[in-house]
């Protein structure tokens, strides 16, 4: 905001301008009474983005100040909209008691809400704020979900593409960097993904938070995490006790997939529409809790490489499938467990309400029964889970004694606590209750005294308690009744009396005391609950895993999955492999399963076959099977034995990267380079038609060189599909390469896809047959057949005989079917109809006439 002479404004506006100086990059929500007001540039931006009225107010200066505002009680919805659009919001409240203030009441920012620090995340969504640092050899990335307190740290090579790929997978809402960090290469990424970049050089954090990052091995990693922590403390202006110790993500601890693989395999959303429906996450998310769904999503993105844990999960699924009654009981219990991670976050943050604690109480109440059912399964892993869940009986009992079943949303209007929880509260309530009985008796007494049977005693916040007399009986109100007129309505008059006014003071004083005491009691209850944060978080983690394992058991039955065998060599043996998502989305079409067999003598399968025949599906289903297996889930096949892979690299589907100005071919080469540079013998590579984005011979040469390099230098399991049939000759030169093809048949010029993988190369391309399915003109198809035949005879060169002038397109022109002329009498009858005026009976009569004429 431009420099403004504050001296020309009123004290209140000077207060706003002083605060705004420190929060120039945020929209300031300035609390005035029951509204948050915005002024100057903030008002212009907010009125446009929130579609609210822009007004102006006098503020001492010659010109009125632009202003807009939103009600305090509805502010969260407006703040959320601004945050989702990438803005920061600084919330300003009164920070001193107006009754003791000398002059204008002191106000200050009580929290700065940013896209990365917004707490109210919905359901299973994950929202990260990340910090990026740099040293001589590495990038360091720390990221944190403030709503759950979970944080991670990862060390990356000093490679901008690797960093961008990691950020693409994390999908942070906000990135924190030092003012010395060169962010120029991040600009396109952050701008096109709507990511806010914030600067913070300060890395000082309170000593009581040292335990959060002491496990980080290097100074630079600690610095990056502390920069993030410092930013959160500065913006939130409170101690966040729910933050968990940072987890170190080591490359060797999970199955690594870059953002390209996650996108190509459609793990969390589809490529075409960026929709959850149609993704692997959509297919297998049968969790009952939001915590379980979030845990599942993290497992999809970072599957395991620890065989012991994987097998332990298989064992648990086996037990759950066998003990289906106990499984159903556990599943029903989970339906009553709320989002403990987010509840704990709100408790720590200080914005929890009584409903949160009631949800916590309901969740804790199911834990004893959950522990009992887990023990009944009698397996090592479920025994471990049951032994580590703490039912927190004392806290559950306290919350049960304290809170009503359906408390209000706010904590400053009372009615939260049960009777017999607090003696003082009961006394105040009893006193107030007695006074309300007195009011009822007064109403009956006044009806008798005045003879006005419809007289009532009511209350509102403006006038307090009053006596209301209907319009038709106002004449019966006499002076000796001592009624003082207070308000005139269209159908009644309202009065007060000295007696009623004196009692009102006592009643309202009691209600005020009651609300104030309930607020204090709630803060005490919240403080007691907050001392159990770490235990509740541990429970949440264990319940999330239970929920995911139940989901795995459900899908194993619903999707007909089998337990795979994890082997120690590099052989793949999957019989009747299926793609579970394709199978689910197209239930009317029987999915054709295929074997995926690659023994020790085969490292590369070169796949040929026509477009649309299922090559990409075949490649994807291997990756999906590997990911499911290494998550600890059963897999879609008749039988499966696979090794543990350390990385998956993919290039499936042609697409430009328009944001970065990269062509399809450049993206292909970057993906290929990423795989070639980083793959090991234990990796899995899936390349679909690499080289198609450039000239035929260039593309074929590069494709062959890539195949040879993978074969000779890497040796990992690779599926490589291609339309370059010349490459099939490599089987004669590369020992561990095997030709396979997806079969199709030509039936009278019509292609029939069999979707079955067979050994050896395909005998033809079928490209023209596929084109005919798109209903291209018949003449065009015939012409392409002639050109193809000529190219094959002359080794990819057109002969003079194929000149376009020698081909008669008209000869193959399809006969046009004449549209029969409709009887004129009928069309005239229809043209005369006025659709807006005709009645149903008339319409039926006309229809009957038309049918008879036809």
């Amino acid at each position: 905001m431009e420099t403004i002479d504050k001296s020309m404004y009123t004290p209140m506006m000077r207060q706003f301008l002083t605060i705004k100086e420190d929060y120039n990059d945020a929209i300031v929500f300035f609390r005035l009474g029951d509204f948050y007001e915005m002024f100057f540039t903030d008002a212009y931006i907010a009125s446009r983005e929130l579609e609210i009225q822009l007004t102006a107010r006098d503020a001492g200066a010659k010109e009125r100040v632009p202003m807009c505002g939103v009600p305090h009680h509805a502010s969260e919805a407006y703040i959320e909209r601004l945050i989702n659009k990438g803005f920061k919001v600084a919330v300003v409240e009164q920070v001193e008691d107006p009754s003791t203030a000398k002059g204008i009441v002191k106000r200050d920012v009580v929290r700065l809400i940013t896209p990365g620090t917004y707490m109210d995340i919905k359901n299973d969504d994950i929202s990260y704020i990340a910090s990026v640092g740099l040293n001589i050899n590495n990038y360091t990335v720390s990221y944190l979900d403030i709503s759950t307190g979970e944080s991670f740290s990862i060390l990356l090579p000093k490679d901008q593409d690797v960093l961008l790929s990691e950020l693409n997978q994390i999908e942070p809402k906000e990135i924190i960097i030092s003012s010395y960090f060169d962010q120029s290469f991040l600009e396109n990424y952050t701008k096109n993904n709507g990511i806010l970049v914030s600067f913070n050089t300060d890395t000082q954090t309170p000593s009581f938070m040292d335990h959060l990052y002491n496990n980080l091995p290097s100074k630079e990693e600690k610095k990056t995490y502390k920069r993030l922590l410092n930013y959160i403390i500065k913006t939130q202006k409170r101690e966040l006790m729910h933050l968990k110790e940072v987890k170190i993500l080591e490359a060797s601890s999970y199955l690594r997939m870059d953002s390209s693989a996650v996108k190509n395999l459609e793990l969390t959303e589809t490529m075409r529409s960026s929709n959850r429906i149609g993704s692997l996450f959509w297919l297998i998310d049968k969790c009952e809790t939001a915590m379980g769904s979030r845990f599942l999503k993290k497992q999809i993105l970072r599957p395991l490489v620890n065989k012991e844990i994987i097998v332990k999960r298989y064992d648990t699924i086996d037990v759950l499938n066998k003990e289906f009654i106990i499984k159903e009981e556990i599943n029903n219990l989970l339906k009553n467990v709320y989002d403990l991670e987010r509840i704990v976050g709100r408790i720590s943050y200080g914005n929890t309400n009584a409903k949160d604690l009631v949800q916590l109480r309901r969740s804790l109440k199911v834990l004893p029964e959950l522990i009992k059912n887990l023990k009944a399964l009698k397996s090592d892993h479920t025994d471990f889970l049951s032994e580590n869940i703490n039912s927190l009986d004392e806290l559950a009992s306290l919350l049960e004694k304290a809170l009503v079943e359906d408390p209000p949303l706010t904590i400053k209007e009372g009615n939260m606590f049960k009777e017999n929880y607090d003696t003082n509260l009961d006394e105040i309530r009893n006193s107030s209750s007695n006074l309300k009985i007195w009011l009822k008796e007064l109403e009956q007494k006044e009806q008798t005294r005045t003879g006005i049977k419809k007289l009532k005693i009511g209350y509102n916040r403006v006038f307090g308690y009053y006596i209301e007399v209907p319009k038709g009986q106002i004449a019966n109100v006499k002076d000796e009744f001592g009624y003082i007129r207070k308000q005139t309505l269209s159908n009644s008059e309202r009065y007060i009396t000295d007696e009623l006014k004196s009692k009102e003071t006592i009643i309202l004083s009691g209600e005020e005391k009651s609300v104030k005491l309930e607020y204090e009691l709630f803060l005490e209850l919240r403080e007691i609950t907050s001392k159990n944060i770490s235990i509740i978080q541990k429970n949440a983690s264990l319940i999330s895993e239970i929920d995911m394992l139940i989901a795995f058991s459900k899908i194993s039955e619903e999707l007909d999955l089998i337990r795979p065998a994890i082997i120690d060599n590099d052989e793949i043996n999957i019989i009747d492999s299926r793609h579970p998502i394709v199978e689910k989305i197209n239930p009317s079409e029987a999915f054709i399963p295929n074997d995926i067999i690659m023994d020790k003598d085969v490292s590369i399968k070169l796949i040929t076959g026509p477009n649309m025949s299922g090559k990409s599906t075949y490649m994807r289903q291997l990756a999906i099977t590997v990911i499911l297996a290494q998550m600890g889930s059963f897999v879609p096949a008749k039988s499966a034995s696979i090794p543990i892979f350390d990385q998956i690299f993919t290039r499936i589907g042609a697409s430009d990267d328009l944001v970065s100005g990269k062509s399809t071919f450049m993206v292909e080469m970057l993906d290929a380079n990423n795989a070639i540079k980083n793959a090991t013998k234990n990796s899995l590579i899936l390349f679909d038609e690499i080289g198609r984005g450039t000239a035929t011979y260039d593309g074929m040469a590069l494709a062959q060189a890539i195949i040879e390099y993978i074969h000779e230098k890497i040796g990992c399991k690779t599926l490589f599909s291609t339309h370059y049939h010349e490459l099939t000759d490599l089987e004669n030169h590369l020992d561990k390469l095997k030709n396979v093809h997806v079969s199709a048949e030509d039936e009278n010029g019509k292609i029939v896809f069999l979707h079955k993988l067979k050994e050896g190369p395909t005998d033809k391309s079928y490209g023209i047959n596929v084109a005919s399915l798109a209903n291209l003109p018949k003449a065009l198809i015939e012409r392409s057949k002639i050109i193809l035949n000529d190219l094959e005879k002359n080794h990819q060169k057109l002969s003079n005989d194929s000149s376009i002038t020698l081909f008669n397109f008209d000869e193959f022109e399809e006969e046009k079917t004449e549209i029969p002329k409709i009887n004129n009498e009928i069309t005239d009858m229809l043209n005369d109809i006025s659709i807006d005026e005709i009645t149903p009976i008339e319409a039926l009569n006309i229809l009957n006439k038309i049918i008879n004429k036809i």
Side-chain angles (χ1 to χ4, degrees):
M1 194 167 71
E2 61 186 49
T3 305
I4 295 175
D5 182 2
K6 289 187 284 187
S7 63
M8 68 174 70
Y9 292 102
T10 61
M12 187 277 292
M13 191 55 65
R14 289 201 298 270
Q15 188 181 56
F16 167 82
L17 290 168
T18 300
I19 291 171
K20 180 65 181 175
E21 285 173 353
D22 293 329
Y23 295 91
N24 204 29
D25 61 343
I27 295 174
V28 175
F29 270 42
F30 195 79
R31 180 74 178 272
L32 291 174
D34 289 334
F35 278 78
Y36 283 116
E37 306 287 6
M38 288 142 276
F39 304 105
F40 298 100
T41 306
D42 289 355
Y44 286 119
I45 295 171
S47 66
R48 180 187 72 237
E49 299 294 339
L50 299 175
E51 298 176 345
I52 55 179
Q53 184 68 41
L54 179 69
T55 60
R57 71 177 289 162
D58 292 323
K62 189 181 294 183
E63 294 184 359
R64 301 181 82 204
V65 171
M67 181 191 82
C68 68
V70 299
H72 166 258
H73 67 273
S75 62
E76 285 302 322
Y78 290 104
I79 290 172
E80 182 178 10
R81 285 170 63 185
L82 289 172
I83 294 302
N84 289 337
K85 290 173 181 281
F87 293 98
K88 295 180 180 180
V89 176
V91 180
V92 175
E93 301 278 5
Q94 292 181 354
V95 292
E96 70 172 336
D97 188 341
S99 62
T100 60
K102 296 178 180 179
I104 189 168
V105 178
K106 186 178 179 183
R107 294 179 176 85
D108 204 351
V109 173
V110 294
R111 60 177 175 147
L112 178 65
I113 309 170
T114 72
T117 60
Y118 187 60
M119 286 286 292
D120 294 331
I121 312 300
K122 302 294 185 289
N123 300 324
D124 58 21
D125 289 345
I126 302 173
S127 178
Y128 289 124
I129 178 171
S131 173
V132 179
L134 175 67
N135 61 24
I136 297 173
N137 299 311
N138 301 97
Y139 283 113
T140 52
V141 180
S142 294
Y143 58 100
L144 183 149
D145 182 346
I146 196 170
S147 68
T148 65
E150 239 185 347
S151 59
F152 305 88
S153 177
I154 187 166
L155 191 67
L156 301 173
K158 194 175 179 181
D159 183 318
Q160 293 178 0
D161 289 332
V162 173
L163 174 62
L164 288 172
S165 177
E166 187 67 29
L167 291 174
N168 260 318
Q169 190 162 339
I170 296 169
E171 295 183 333
K173 296 289 189 293
E174 185 174 2
I175 296 175
I176 313 302
I177 55 176
S178 138
S179 55
Y180 308 112
F181 188 93
D182 178 13
Q183 61 152 340
S184 57
F185 74 95
L186 287 174
E187 286 176 358
N188 276 342
Y189 162 73
T190 54
K191 181 180 177 182
N192 290 292
N193 288 282
I195 298 168
L196 180 68
V197 175
S198 299
F199 297 92
N200 183 41
T201 306
D202 194 351
T203 58
Q204 296 299 311
T205 56
S207 58
F208 67 83
M209 288 186 156
D210 288 355
H211 70 283
L212 295 176
Y213 55 82
N214 274 341
N215 59 327
L216 293 176
S218 72
K219 181 180 177 182
E220 189 58 42
E221 288 171 277
K222 287 180 180 177
K223 192 175 178 182
T224 301
Y225 183 81
K226 288 167 74 175
R227 181 182 297 113
L228 175 62
L229 205 55
N230 179 275
Y231 178 81
I232 289 170
I233 294 168
K234 277 182 180 177
T235 56
Q236 304 314 293
K237 297 178 178 290
R238 64 200 73 198
E239 296 177 3
L240 298 175
M241 304 308 295
H242 72 298
L243 297 184
K244 303 175 188 176
E245 181 181 308
V246 62
K247 294 179 182 175
I248 302 171
L249 295 175
E250 295 178 352
S252 59
S253 63
Y254 58 91
L255 170 64
R256 298 186 301 288
M257 296 174 286
D258 62 13
S259 58
S260 177
V262 171
K263 182 180 178 182
N264 287 331
L265 297 172
E266 300 185 310
L267 298 185
T268 58
E269 62 183 25
T270 57
M271 286 181 70
R272 178 168 294 183
S273 60
S274 298
N275 197 325
R276 169 177 163 161
I277 297 173
S279 68
L280 179 63
F281 180 50
W282 162 79
L283 180 74
I284 67 175
D285 182 18
K286 305 296 180 182
C287 296
E288 295 293 346
T289 70
M291 302 180 297
S293 293
R294 285 196 301 272
F295 185 75
L296 173 64
K297 185 182 284 187
K298 291 168 192 169
Q299 296 298 301
I300 290 174
L301 296 174
R302 300 192 189 277
L304 304 169
V305 293
N306 186 312
K307 182 178 177 180
E308 184 182 350
I309 298 175
I310 293 171
V311 170
K312 202 172 284 184
R313 289 182 179 178
Y314 295 162
D315 292 340
T316 306
I317 297 169
D318 272 335
V319 171
L320 290 168
N321 288 348
K322 181 182 176 184
E323 301 288 350
F324 56 91
I325 295 176
I326 299 175
K327 178 180 76 175
E328 189 61 29
E329 288 179 3
I330 294 173
N331 190 67
N332 289 333
L333 290 170
L334 291 175
K335 291 177 181 178
N336 297 303
V337 176
Y338 292 81
D339 197 337
L340 298 178
E341 290 179 323
R342 296 253 163 91
I343 291 172
V344 162
R346 290 192 289 273
I347 291 170
S348 171
Y349 198 77
N351 65 343
T352 190
N353 56 32
K355 283 190 177 293
D356 287 326
L357 296 190
V358 168
Q359 289 179 354
L360 174 60
R361 178 180 71 194
R362 291 172 185 163
S363 303
L364 293 178
K365 281 174 71 174
V366 308
L367 295 188
E369 196 66 24
L370 179 62
I371 292 168
K372 178 182 171 184
N373 278 286
L374 287 170
K375 286 180 178 176
L377 290 171
K378 296 179 181 177
S379 77
D380 290 343
H381 192 50
T382 53
D383 282 348
F384 167 81
L385 293 169
S386 66
E387 288 163 7
N388 282 276
I389 294 174
N390 186 330
S391 57
L392 288 169
D393 296 332
E394 286 187 18
L395 178 61
S397 177
L398 177 64
L399 293 174
E400 180 63 38
K401 181 184 177 184
L403 298 171
V404 298
E405 191 61 30
D406 188 23
L409 281 170
T410 69
I411 58 175
K412 291 189 175 180
E413 57 181 86
N415 300 316
M416 295 181 287
F417 287 88
K418 292 179 178 178
E419 287 184 24
N420 303 321
Y421 176 70
D422 181 83
T423 306
N424 292 332
L425 180 61
D426 288 344
E427 286 178 3
I428 294 170
R429 281 176 172 174
N430 289 335
S431 175
S432 178
S433 178
N434 291 334
L435 287 166
K436 286 178 180 176
I437 293 170
W438 177 86
L439 283 172
K440 191 64 182 174
E441 291 172 349
L442 176 66
E443 181 180 89
Q444 292 171 350
K445 186 179 79 173
E446 289 300 306
Q447 287 173 351
T448 304
R449 184 166 76 96
T450 63
I452 303 171
K453 298 301 180 187
K454 292 187 177 181
L455 176 151
K456 292 190 179 301
I457 292 179
Y459 171 81
N460 68 33
R461 290 187 178 184
V462 177
F463 296 109
Y465 286 95
Y466 53 79
I467 297 171
E468 184 172 277
V469 178
K471 206 77 168 175
Q473 297 188 1
I474 292 173
N476 297 329
V477 177
K478 299 176 182 178
D479 291 343
E480 60 262 29
F481 295 164
Y483 286 10
I484 303 166
R485 182 178 278 105
K486 191 68 178 176
Q487 187 184 18
T488 301
L489 302 178
S490 59
N491 58 356
S492 64
E493 290 279 350
R494 290 175 176 175
Y495 304 87
I496 58 169
T497 65
D498 291 338
E499 182 184 19
L500 183 60
K501 209 64 188 169
S502 65
K503 288 290 185 182
E504 176 187 275
T505 304
I506 299 170
I507 293 169
L508 294 180
S509 173
E511 289 179 353
E512 186 179 329
K513 286 180 182 176
S514 175
V515 169
K516 185 179 179 183
L517 179 56
E518 282 206 53
Y519 177 71
E520 292 170 356
L521 291 171
F522 181 80
L523 294 184
E524 287 177 10
L525 189 61
R526 188 177 71 188
E527 179 62 26
I528 293 168
T529 306
S530 70
K531 292 175 181 176
N532 296 282
I533 279 178
S534 61
I535 298 173
I536 299 170
Q537 284 180 324
K538 184 179 179 183
N539 282 346
S541 178
L542 295 167
I543 292 168
S544 298
E545 185 178 356
I546 294 164
D547 199 6
M548 183 188 75
L549 291 170
I550 295 282
F552 284 169
S553 175
K554 290 178 190 174
I555 64 169
S556 72
E557 296 170 340
E558 292 175 17
L559 304 177
D560 190 22
L561 309 183
I562 56 93
R563 175 174 178 154
I566 300 296
I567 56 176
D568 295 326
N569 57 43
D570 67 347
E571 297 185 12
I572 298 173
N573 194 325
I574 307 173
I575 305 301
D576 284 352
S577 169
R578 310 187 316 274
H579 193 304
I581 302 169
V582 175
E583 196 173 35
K584 180 75 172 179
I585 290 176
N586 300 310
S588 59
E589 297 180 22
F591 187 90
I592 307 299
N594 275 295
D595 298 344
I596 307 176
I597 300 172
M598 300 178 77
D599 60 24
K600 58 183 174 55
D601 296 322
V602 178
S603 62
I604 300 176
K605 274 193 175 184
L606 187 64
I607 310 170
T608 50
N611 286 318
M612 297 174 58
S613 62
K615 299 191 301 295
S616 298
T617 299
Y618 181 78
M619 299 170 81
R620 280 194 176 98
Q621 69 196 53
L622 172 58
I624 295 294
T625 297
V626 168
I627 290 165
L628 285 172
Q630 291 190 217
M631 288 171 64
S633 167
F634 287 5
V635 300
K638 187 176 181 181
S639 66
S641 61
I642 53 176
I644 288 179
F645 291 95
D646 62 0
Q647 300 173 90
I648 295 178
F649 299 95
T650 67
R651 176 59 190 169
I652 303 175
S655 62
D656 294 341
D657 186 351
L658 298 178
V659 168
S660 304
K662 295 169 183 171
S663 67
T664 298
F665 180 65
M666 176 56 98
V667 174
E668 280 185 2
M669 293 302 102
L670 289 171
D671 285 342
N673 181 52
N674 180 42
I676 288 165
K677 279 171 58 179
N678 297 297
T680 71
K681 194 177 187 322
N682 299 318
S683 300
L684 175 63
I685 295 178
L686 308 172
F687 280 166
D688 187 16
E689 298 182 35
I690 288 285
R692 66 187 143 181
T694 188
T696 302
Y697 288 120
D698 282 356
M700 188 162 58
L702 282 163
Q704 179 171 335
I706 289 169
I707 292 170
E708 290 177 2
Y709 189 93
I710 293 171
H711 186 277
E712 298 298 319
K713 302 288 289 183
I714 303 173
C716 66
K717 297 299 185 189
T718 302
L719 298 184
F720 196 110
S721 74
T722 185
H723 282 298
Y724 298 133
H725 295 280
E726 294 83 353
L727 296 180
T728 59
D729 189 50
L730 287 173
E731 187 179 63
N732 299 320
H733 307 283
L734 301 178
D735 295 339
K736 293 194 173 184
L737 182 143
K738 184 176 182 179
N739 283 319
V740 292
H741 70 278
V742 185
S743 55
E745 289 181 354
D746 186 346
E747 294 183 357
N748 300 320
K750 297 286 185 182
I751 189 170
V752 177
F753 299 116
L754 302 179
H755 302 295
K756 200 67 181 175
L757 205 78
K758 296 184 178 180
E759 293 190 2
T762 188
D763 55 349
K764 58 185 291 188
S765 175
Y766 297 100
I768 293 174
N769 303 71
V770 174
S772 68
L773 293 178
N775 291 321
L776 289 170
K778 185 178 179 182
L780 186 152
I781 296 296
E782 292 302 321
R783 173 60 177 159
S784 63
K785 289 178 181 177
I786 293 170
I787 295 171
L788 174 63
N789 185 53
D790 191 49
L791 287 168
E792 289 174 342
K793 283 181 180 178
N794 294 282
H795 306 288
Q796 305 292 326
K797 291 183 180 179
L798 283 171
S799 68
N800 291 331
D801 292 338
S802 67
S803 171
I804 191 169
T805 58
L806 299 180
F807 187 81
N808 184 2
F809 282 93
D810 294 334
E811 182 182 340
F812 293 93
E813 195 68 39
E814 291 90 341
E815 290 184 11
K816 293 183 179 178
T817 305
E818 286 192 14
I819 300 172
K821 291 184 178 178
I822 301 172
N823 187 304
N824 283 334
E825 194 176 347
I826 293 175
T827 57
D828 290 343
M829 191 184 298
L830 292 172
N831 285 329
D832 289 339
I833 295 172
S834 176
I835 200 72
D836 294 324
E837 298 175 5
I838 193 170
T839 67
I841 294 296
E842 290 169 338
L844 286 171
N845 288 333
I846 292 170
L847 180 60
N848 185 54
K849 287 179 183 178
I850 291 171
I851 291 170
N852 288 335
K853 285 184 181 295
I854 291 171

